[in-house]
Amino acid sequence: MLTDVDLPAPGLLWTRWATLSATHVAIGRTGVWSIDERGAGRDLPDGSWARFALLDGRRAVLYGDHHEHSAAGRDDPPADPLTGAPDWLPWATLAPLAERDRLGFVIWHESGRWSRVRYRDGWSDGMTDLAGPALTGEGTLIALSRFGPRPAAERLLAAAVRSEVSPAHFSDLLIDPAPDLAAAMATAARGGLVPGSAAPRIQPGRRPPMRRVRRLSQGEHDRLVWAAMQDSPELSRPAPPVTAELDTLVGWLQDRAPHSDGRCSLLAYSDATSFSSQPGDRPPADRPEEERYTAFRRLTELVRALRRAESDPRYGRWLFLRVETSAAGVRVERRYDSWPPWWHDDGVSGPWRTNLQEEMDARLPRYRPSWVGLLDPETAYRPL
């Protein structure tokens, strides 16, 4: 299902975008706002980006990806940004981006309206964060006025609308430091802002006969794997060797017993790069004189050391660990292949699929549980 989007006419949006691009080039800020033969772009340091292109007539397309907002991969269920999109979009560019989860939004203009796929209520795709300064005349003037007097910004934008931009417009706006007028005018010409110039236009594309479409969001894919882990039995493998690292961990827990009676509990998850713990019946006690997180850091070191000591190149390393100590003894439970019932599942946080894949790849095939196939990124896609 599609929905209309309230955006300015493509020609006006292009003029504002090109004006911002030429101004940024004039002060040496290349790449933030840009113009090339494929259209206009904006790139942020965090990896977020947007592209805007004009086609023949009044058709246009605005697309991109914001690193914090994407209904395509993070909404439940995922919203395919290309569902219902017209045949003339630049599919050769868009489809590969969508397959790599690098396409957070696609908005197209046709027959006098902007359209996109409908998202779940309250979801933001980050488009306004990326294109915001070009979406209104006031927004563009505010952005330009950061570099010089507002009257000069108004004259520059008015000249851009009439395709009459000259070097004087940049000189009036950009007083200190002196602007690179040649670079500014080259960008303005490329954007169709000077007499005799025209904005670049791309050719209509062609919809592919088949494409990969995400059917599971990142969260849904995670929960599919986690549910399979909870249903998985433990495979038969030799007991780990006796190590000094276990004695050290047990001694530390006994010393941290919350009632000073040696009774202490540890629930932990660990893989090659991540560690987390949950409180058991008698979690290790902090001490008033310690800095914050001192005990957690030491616990992390001890658990990682034990995991390394007990690892085996054939059957791998455990993922979950449960230790219950008393004054005279200890009970240890390790889970290599399954999510134990004593590890709380909040439906949001759990082992990262990439980390699990790394762990499974390090084992011999006979010691890999049945849910390993679900880690394949292809699990989240289906043909359309």
Side-chain angles (χ1 to χ4, degrees):
M1 182 178 295
L2 303 181
T3 186
D4 291 343
V5 184
D6 184 16
L7 292 176
L12 188 55
L13 179 59
W14 178 271
T15 297
R16 296 168 182 165
W17 203 304
T19 303
L20 290 167
S21 300
T23 304
H24 277 75
V25 167
I27 59 176
R29 297 185 181 180
T30 58
V32 181
W33 296 87
S34 59
I35 299 288
D36 60 27
E37 68 280 359
R38 296 289 299 168
R42 190 182 188 197
D43 294 272
L44 300 184
D46 62 13
S48 301
W49 58 273
R51 300 291 181 268
F52 173 42
L54 302 173
L55 286 86
D56 57 308
R58 295 185 177 181
R59 295 187 294 185
V61 59
L62 173 62
Y63 58 97
D65 185 57
H66 192 286
H67 82 290
E68 291 182 351
H69 306 282
S70 174
R74 291 183 279 275
D75 197 4
D76 292 339
D80 172 30
L82 292 171
T83 294
D87 293 341
W88 52 263
L89 288 183
W91 286 90
T93 298
L94 299 177
L97 288 169
E99 291 183 6
R100 299 197 307 271
D101 280 340
R102 290 291 291 138
L103 189 64
F105 61 87
V106 181
I107 307 170
W108 56 90
H109 187 275
E110 185 177 32
S111 302
R113 65 174 59 182
W114 289 96
S115 304
R116 62 161 170 77
V117 68
R118 186 185 297 275
Y119 309 144
R120 177 167 55 89
D121 289 347
W123 192 266
S124 170
D125 59 16
M127 180 274 292
T128 55
D129 294 336
L130 289 163
L135 298 182
T136 66
E138 181 61 22
T140 305
L141 288 173
I142 290 174
L144 293 173
S145 297
R146 294 173 50 209
F147 308 121
R150 182 180 174 104
E154 293 173 346
R155 290 192 295 271
L156 170 60
L157 187 56
V161 172
R162 301 190 303 269
S163 297
E164 296 177 353
V165 170
S166 69
H169 290 107
F170 295 108
S171 297
D172 291 344
L173 176 66
L174 308 171
I175 300 173
D176 187 24
D180 185 340
L181 297 180
M185 290 302 294
T187 301
R190 195 158 48 244
L193 305 184
V194 303
S197 66
R201 296 182 180 272
I202 64 173
Q203 294 297 314
R206 178 178 298 178
R207 181 191 299 272
M210 294 284 290
R211 65 185 179 93
R212 290 167 66 248
V213 179
R214 176 176 282 280
R215 63 183 176 86
L216 296 177
S217 69
Q218 297 286 2
E220 288 174 325
H221 194 175
D222 285 338
R223 290 190 289 274
L224 177 68
V225 172
W226 300 340
M229 292 178 70
Q230 293 173 32
D231 292 337
S232 175
E234 284 289 298
L235 301 176
S236 177
R237 53 172 47 82
V242 176
T243 66
E245 285 80 2
L246 179 57
D247 294 337
T248 302
L249 174 60
V250 169
W252 186 86
L253 291 172
Q254 291 171 329
D255 187 52
R256 292 278 178 159
H259 302 295
S260 302
D261 57 0
R263 295 189 301 166
C264 191
S265 60
L266 165 66
L267 307 180
Y269 168 86
S270 182
D271 56 40
T273 57
S274 65
F275 174 85
S276 60
S277 65
Q278 294 182 359
D281 295 333
R282 293 175 293 275
D286 292 324
R287 291 174 175 167
E289 70 276 8
E290 289 179 334
E291 295 182 2
R292 194 178 184 186
Y293 300 124
T294 295
F296 180 80
R297 287 193 294 269
R298 180 55 178 160
L299 178 62
T300 302
E301 294 171 356
L302 294 173
V303 171
R304 288 192 180 282
L306 176 63
R307 191 167 183 270
R308 287 192 299 269
E310 294 186 344
S311 67
D312 186 279
R314 298 162 297 170
Y315 57 77
R317 299 173 289 188
W318 44 260
L319 299 169
F320 296 93
L321 177 70
R322 182 182 186 183
V323 182
E324 301 281 349
T325 69
S326 65
V330 61
R331 184 166 66 92
V332 182
E333 180 181 354
R334 304 166 182 86
R335 294 292 185 108
Y336 294 77
D337 312 305
S338 62
W339 183 304
W342 41 261
W343 187 264
H344 174 66
D345 177 14
D346 61 6
V348 177
S349 58
W352 291 351
R353 281 176 278 118
T354 51
N355 292 6
L356 290 173
Q357 187 68 66
E358 180 182 358
E359 293 292 335
M360 298 302 114
D361 289 345
R363 303 179 181 182
L364 292 179
R366 62 177 292 194
Y367 293 111
R368 297 171 187 172
S370 59
W371 50 261
V372 167
L374 298 177
L375 298 174
D376 187 347
E378 288 298 316
T379 301
Y381 292 85
R382 63 176 173 83
L384 184 69

